[in-house]
Amino acid sequence: MSLSSKDKALVKAFWGKVEGKAGEMGGEALGRMLVAYPQTKTYFSHWGDLSPQSAKVKKHGATIMGALGKAVKGIDDLTNTLSALSELHAFKLRVDPSNFKILSHNIVLVFALYFPADFTPEVHLSVEKFLQNVAWALSEKYR
């Protein structure tokens, strides 16, 4: 699904609001994913404590959101922007790409919880389209 210039502008503007809390929100989204979709725990089982409050979950959630911030900055060329992450997840970590969509769902949920007034239906649609494109770009090396 392609992103229009309006979608890109809405995503960038919303990210401007999110950025200051992105690390915290990433931990929340990853923690929710691990609880609501327990099959995703297999990729993190070496961490031991996979509770939403664990330091490793929070730290990796912040890392994820850092990568998402990079994607927002590279929104015009997500495939190249996320190429190294795609390669890492495909060849080293061997993450099933369906999990990118699961995490995206949890990120959207957290966006709505943290910014209910700003996460309008229009912003929601643009963010969903953006995250679909991010998931597609992350899946590039699997093809």
Side-chain angles (χ1 to χ4, degrees), residues 7-86:
D7 290 325
K8 292 175 184 180
L10 285 169
V11 167
K12 288 177 181 180
F14 185 70
W15 186 259
K17 296 173 184 184
V18 166
E19 200 166 21
K21 292 186 176 228
E24 176 184 337
M25 294 171 73
E28 174 79 16
L30 182 59
R32 284 176 174 273
M33 181 186 79
L34 294 171
V35 170
Y37 301 88
Q39 71 274 20
T40 61
K41 290 180 179 182
T42 61
Y43 299 104
F44 307 100
S45 59
H46 58 283
W47 286 357
D49 181 9
L50 293 176
S51 68
Q53 299 79 22
S54 94
K56 289 183 179 181
V57 169
K58 289 180 179 184
K59 181 180 180 205
H60 192 62
T63 299
I64 290 167
M65 294 303 271
L68 201 57
K70 180 180 174 186
V72 170
K73 289 181 177 101
I75 199 167
D76 291 318
D77 189 6
L78 289 171
T79 301
N80 283 328
T81 299
L82 299 173
S83 179
L85 279 176
S86 177

